[in-house]
Amino acid sequence: MRNKILPIAILLVLVLQVELLSAASPEANKEAVKQTLVTVDVTSPLVNEHVELKPIENHHFNLEAPQDCGRAGNIETTARKVVCQYRQAGDSKVTVSVCDNDKNYCKQEYVDVSVQKAKAQGARLLMPVTDKTLKMQKEQKSLLLSGFKVLAPAEAKAVLKGEKGVLVLVSTEWCPPCNMLKEFMTSQDGFKELTKDYLLVYVDGDSNMANQWRDLLDSPVYPTFYAMNSDLEILDLKSSYMFLSDFKKWFELAYEDPSDSISDVKERLLARAKKTFSRSVLDAFLSEEEIERDVERYSRYNYGRFIQDDLVRMLIDLDPEKYKGRIARATYQNISYGTKTLADDSDLKAQMTKVKKSILATPRWDETDWVYNSLVEAECSAAAVPPGGEAEEKQDSPDRLIAKEDCNQLAEKMAARSKDIKDKDWSKKSEAEQLYSQALYAWNLGDLAKMRGAENASEYFKTCRDRFTEMAKLSPLKDKSRASRIYTSYCLEPGSTTESMQLVESLIEDFPFDSTFYYKKASLLKGSKKFKAALKFNSQALKYSYGDSWLDASLQRAKILKAMNKTSEAKKVIEDCLSEVVLSSENRRALRRVKLLRSELKTL
């Protein structure tokens, strides 16, 4: 019966569209037929690349009518956007239904798509690193990741021999928090003792091995720890840098019940949202605290993923009023991480403003509420600019979300919060963690001093650099600590180009086969308009890069050439790069980078 009803329903929708179009004014109809009502970002995508379609201004996709990607699956379908993804090369046709916002007319649009596969033999994105780079990485891993093994999922299951579970670390060589974690946590005796009964697996996020894990591990953030049971079901994840004291709390909580996976938690929450009878009966035997623990656990898991669609929908279905603070923060993170064109999308910009107001109205005032803290700093940072400056004028704008006179009071609260974090459980912190906390405390005070236009900001930034310098002495790499030196660069004041250059040059000297620091030096040289020298160091970055870092280096080269007015060469760099890319359907980082390459190509 259902099979007969569905075609009839679609036919009725199409008939309604035709009637609506006929009812509109003749002038509007003629204009609608003549005008293309949809834009598409790419019509010759790579296999697995996202194709994004948007209606023109003052129009929307009619979600009651067919929105069909053809041979592809619809990754996202909303009134403002349709995203398609094609898993195979070949031609396809996208069909979308567009209406004007005044509901005068609707029209079906058709877009031809020709999906391309990589043209180059042995696609560059999947090539291994150079022998010299591999040797350098192997030497570092022997010091910093001695208990970890590089295994594919099937291999991990095969070698399990009584371990309590599998702990997977997804990291990269270039990521500063990753290197901080390796130098000051995974290499420490306390970490090895805590995890001795578990299989430890290391996955380089830029390597071929990462593609084999992507169906199981879905966080695009580095570094990320995944706590998994012996069936390779995810129990929880933890993203970003941490010391052993924080890791221990998370680790013990994650493995509290290895039989209860995050998928089980999601299933329970979905049943509660749907108010199923069976779930209601089971919940009758649980306390409110136990039920709320599922919300907390699923929220924590999704915050770590930086992808919040599931969580937002779940919380809205459960209780939008009760969880409005969580919903606002999750939405903020989703929009911030998922788009690079906020200023170009008026609907999204309005949504973001609404979300920000909600967050500012529900502060938590603890170290985990980075969303609130970053908003306060962004809204109040103009105080550091002398009267009459650009930011000072912006601060007087009615668009600002925090009144000018409230910023000093908020800055005082943030300073007090920073001190609380610094002093919290001080005796339980390792020496490295104490130095790190002191450095961040000085860093925060420096930022706050800048917000107020105070003259002592430089003193705080110097203290920050000094603490990271002391911290380097505690690293297994000793004076070659890359993590501490990179973080030292964050304590440099804006415009400290000479100091930044000296720091990068010392890192190149110690890590001559790492693309990271050649890329950074090329960026500094480009900023100083020394384009020929920038190209030289970018060539080294390209030589030693792989995975996502190779895409970054290719985009950097195109931008340097563009700045030199060599647009045809810049265009060729991007086209050659795209011809060699093989994308995994789940590699969100690479997908975003390909989108940036496409955007840059349109400017050439």
Side-chain angles (χ1 to χ4, degrees), residues 240-280:
S240 75
Y241 175 60
M242 69 198 105
F243 283 95
L244 187 59
S245 57
D246 288 330
F247 175 82
K248 187 174 184 293
K249 294 175 189 174
W250 170 80
F251 182 80
E252 291 174 346
L253 193 61
Y255 282 104
E256 193 173 36
D257 182 1
S259 66
D260 191 27
S261 70
I262 199 69
S263 295
D264 295 329
V265 175
K266 182 178 179 179
E267 187 177 332
R268 291 196 295 270
L269 289 172
L270 283 172
R272 287 178 187 128
K274 293 177 181 177
K275 297 179 172 58
T276 65
F277 176 74
S278 59
R279 188 67 252 167
S280 298

Side-chain angles (χ1 to χ4, degrees), residues 588-602:
R588 296 185 183 92
R589 296 183 68 89
L591 288 168
R592 281 197 303 276
R593 280 159 173 75
V594 167
K595 189 171 184 178
L596 290 173
L597 285 162
R598 295 278 189 202
S599 298
E600 187 65 23
L601 189 60
K602 289 178 181 178

Side-chain angles (χ1 to χ4, degrees), residues 23 67 142 206 256-257 273 277 349 404 504 523 540 602:
Q67 313 292 339
S142 67
D206 285 329
E256 193 173 36
D257 182 1
F277 176 74
K349 194 172 183 180
K404 185 175 178 180
V504 170
S523 295
Q540 293 296 96
K602 289 178 181 178

